[in-house]
Short mmCIF file of all heavy atoms in Angstrom, two decimals:
data_model
loop_
_atom_site.label_atom_id
_atom_site.label_comp_id
_atom_site.label_asym_id
_atom_site.label_seq_id
_atom_site.Cartn_x
_atom_site.Cartn_y
_atom_site.Cartn_z
N GLU D 532 61.36 127.13 77.10
CA GLU D 532 60.51 125.92 77.44
C GLU D 532 59.12 126.38 77.82
O GLU D 532 58.06 125.79 77.39
CB GLU D 532 61.09 125.15 78.60
CG GLU D 532 62.33 124.41 78.11
CD GLU D 532 62.88 123.44 79.38
OE1 GLU D 532 62.63 123.76 80.51
OE2 GLU D 532 63.57 122.36 78.99
N LYS D 533 58.96 127.53 78.46
CA LYS D 533 57.71 128.02 78.87
C LYS D 533 56.84 128.47 77.64
O LYS D 533 55.65 128.15 77.57
CB LYS D 533 57.81 129.23 79.86
CG LYS D 533 58.13 128.86 81.18
CD LYS D 533 58.02 130.28 82.11
CE LYS D 533 58.90 130.26 83.26
NZ LYS D 533 58.86 131.61 83.88
N ILE D 534 57.49 129.20 76.80
CA ILE D 534 56.57 129.61 75.58
C ILE D 534 56.40 128.60 74.60
O ILE D 534 55.36 128.69 73.89
CB ILE D 534 57.28 131.06 75.06
CG1 ILE D 534 58.62 130.72 74.49
CG2 ILE D 534 57.33 132.20 76.05
CD1 ILE D 534 59.14 131.74 73.50
N LEU D 535 57.25 127.60 74.50
CA LEU D 535 57.08 126.57 73.48
C LEU D 535 56.02 125.51 74.13
O LEU D 535 55.56 124.67 73.50
CB LEU D 535 58.33 125.89 73.07
CG LEU D 535 59.27 126.70 72.33
CD1 LEU D 535 60.51 125.94 71.88
CD2 LEU D 535 58.66 127.46 71.28
N GLY D 536 55.91 125.49 75.51
CA GLY D 536 55.13 124.51 76.01
C GLY D 536 55.75 123.14 75.99
O GLY D 536 55.03 122.04 76.03
N ALA D 537 57.11 123.01 75.78
CA ALA D 537 57.73 121.76 75.72
C ALA D 537 59.21 121.90 76.33
O ALA D 537 59.64 122.95 76.31
CB ALA D 537 57.75 121.29 74.27
N THR D 538 59.57 120.83 76.79
CA THR D 538 61.13 120.88 77.36
C THR D 538 62.08 120.70 76.21
O THR D 538 61.74 120.40 75.10
CB THR D 538 61.39 119.64 78.34
OG1 THR D 538 61.38 118.34 77.51
CG2 THR D 538 60.32 119.62 79.49
N ALA D 539 63.31 121.20 76.57
CA ALA D 539 64.39 121.03 75.49
C ALA D 539 64.55 119.73 75.05
O ALA D 539 64.65 119.58 73.87
CB ALA D 539 65.69 121.63 76.13
N GLU D 540 64.42 118.77 75.92
CA GLU D 540 64.58 117.39 75.67
C GLU D 540 63.45 116.92 74.70
O GLU D 540 63.74 116.26 73.73
CB GLU D 540 64.57 116.49 77.00
CG GLU D 540 64.93 114.94 76.81
CD GLU D 540 66.24 114.80 76.22
OE1 GLU D 540 67.24 115.57 76.51
OE2 GLU D 540 66.36 113.84 75.51
N GLU D 541 62.23 117.32 74.90
CA GLU D 541 61.10 116.89 74.05
C GLU D 541 61.38 117.46 72.68
O GLU D 541 61.11 116.92 71.64
CB GLU D 541 59.73 117.39 74.58
CG GLU D 541 59.33 116.53 75.78
CD GLU D 541 58.33 117.30 76.67
OE1 GLU D 541 57.91 118.46 76.42
OE2 GLU D 541 57.81 116.65 77.73
N VAL D 542 61.78 118.76 72.63
CA VAL D 542 61.94 119.39 71.38
C VAL D 542 63.03 118.74 70.56
O VAL D 542 62.87 118.41 69.37
CB VAL D 542 62.27 120.94 71.53
CG1 VAL D 542 62.66 121.60 70.13
CG2 VAL D 542 61.19 121.79 72.25
N GLY D 543 64.18 118.42 71.35
CA GLY D 543 65.21 117.71 70.64
C GLY D 543 64.81 116.37 70.17
O GLY D 543 65.17 116.06 68.97
N GLN D 544 63.97 115.60 70.92
CA GLN D 544 63.66 114.35 70.48
C GLN D 544 62.84 114.46 69.13
O GLN D 544 62.83 113.75 68.22
CB GLN D 544 62.71 113.68 71.59
CG GLN D 544 63.51 113.30 72.85
CD GLN D 544 64.48 112.17 72.67
OE1 GLN D 544 64.36 111.42 71.65
NE2 GLN D 544 65.48 112.18 73.39
N GLN D 545 61.79 115.46 69.22
CA GLN D 545 60.86 115.54 68.05
C GLN D 545 61.58 116.03 66.74
O GLN D 545 61.38 115.38 65.77
CB GLN D 545 59.86 116.70 68.28
CG GLN D 545 58.68 116.27 69.31
CD GLN D 545 57.70 117.28 69.47
OE1 GLN D 545 57.17 117.65 68.43
NE2 GLN D 545 57.35 117.52 70.67
N ILE D 546 62.71 116.82 66.98
CA ILE D 546 63.38 117.23 65.68
C ILE D 546 64.38 116.18 65.16
O ILE D 546 64.68 116.00 63.98
CB ILE D 546 64.14 118.64 65.79
CG1 ILE D 546 65.03 118.65 66.84
CG2 ILE D 546 63.14 119.53 65.97
CD1 ILE D 546 66.17 119.71 66.75
N GLU D 547 64.71 115.22 66.16
CA GLU D 547 65.56 114.12 65.79
C GLU D 547 64.71 113.21 64.86
O GLU D 547 65.15 112.67 64.03
CB GLU D 547 65.99 113.22 66.92
CG GLU D 547 67.30 113.72 67.50
CD GLU D 547 67.80 112.87 68.78
OE1 GLU D 547 67.57 111.80 68.80
OE2 GLU D 547 68.50 113.47 69.70
N GLN D 548 63.46 113.05 65.23
CA GLN D 548 62.49 112.32 64.40
C GLN D 548 62.23 112.88 63.04
O GLN D 548 62.31 112.45 62.00
CB GLN D 548 61.13 112.15 65.09
CG GLN D 548 61.05 111.75 66.48
CD GLN D 548 61.21 110.21 66.59
OE1 GLN D 548 60.52 109.54 65.79
NE2 GLN D 548 62.01 109.72 67.50
N ASP D 549 62.02 114.32 63.08
CA ASP D 549 61.61 115.03 61.90
C ASP D 549 62.02 116.44 62.16
O ASP D 549 61.18 117.15 62.78
CB ASP D 549 60.13 114.83 61.66
CG ASP D 549 59.63 115.62 60.47
OD1 ASP D 549 60.46 116.18 59.75
OD2 ASP D 549 58.31 115.77 60.30
N SER D 550 62.99 116.85 61.47
CA SER D 550 63.48 118.40 61.60
C SER D 550 62.50 119.32 61.14
O SER D 550 62.49 120.46 61.58
CB SER D 550 64.87 118.50 61.06
OG SER D 550 64.75 118.29 59.69
N GLU D 551 61.55 118.87 60.31
CA GLU D 551 60.60 119.83 59.66
C GLU D 551 59.55 120.30 60.69
O GLU D 551 58.88 121.27 60.59
CB GLU D 551 59.74 119.14 58.63
CG GLU D 551 60.58 118.71 57.36
CD GLU D 551 61.13 119.85 56.67
OE1 GLU D 551 60.56 120.73 56.20
OE2 GLU D 551 62.35 119.87 56.52
N GLN D 552 59.56 119.53 61.95
CA GLN D 552 58.57 119.79 62.89
C GLN D 552 58.90 121.15 63.63
O GLN D 552 57.91 121.59 64.21
CB GLN D 552 58.49 118.58 63.92
CG GLN D 552 57.67 117.52 63.50
CD GLN D 552 57.33 116.61 64.68
OE1 GLN D 552 56.96 117.08 65.78
NE2 GLN D 552 57.48 115.25 64.52
N LEU D 553 60.10 121.42 63.58
CA LEU D 553 60.59 122.63 64.37
C LEU D 553 59.69 123.85 64.18
O LEU D 553 59.29 124.63 64.94
CB LEU D 553 62.05 122.92 64.10
CG LEU D 553 62.78 123.97 65.13
CD1 LEU D 553 62.63 123.59 66.38
CD2 LEU D 553 64.27 124.10 64.60
N ALA D 554 59.38 124.09 62.80
CA ALA D 554 58.68 125.30 62.46
C ALA D 554 57.25 125.35 63.15
O ALA D 554 56.92 126.37 63.66
CB ALA D 554 58.52 125.35 60.96
#
Side-chain angles (χ1 to χ4, degrees):
Chain D
E532 287 183 335
K533 283 191 204 167
I534 63 164
L535 296 185
T538 65
E540 189 58 35
E541 286 163 358
V542 175
Q544 294 294 336
Q545 282 186 52
I546 60 161
E547 271 182 30
Q548 308 276 319
D549 175 11
S550 62
E551 298 294 307
Q552 281 196 46
L553 191 54

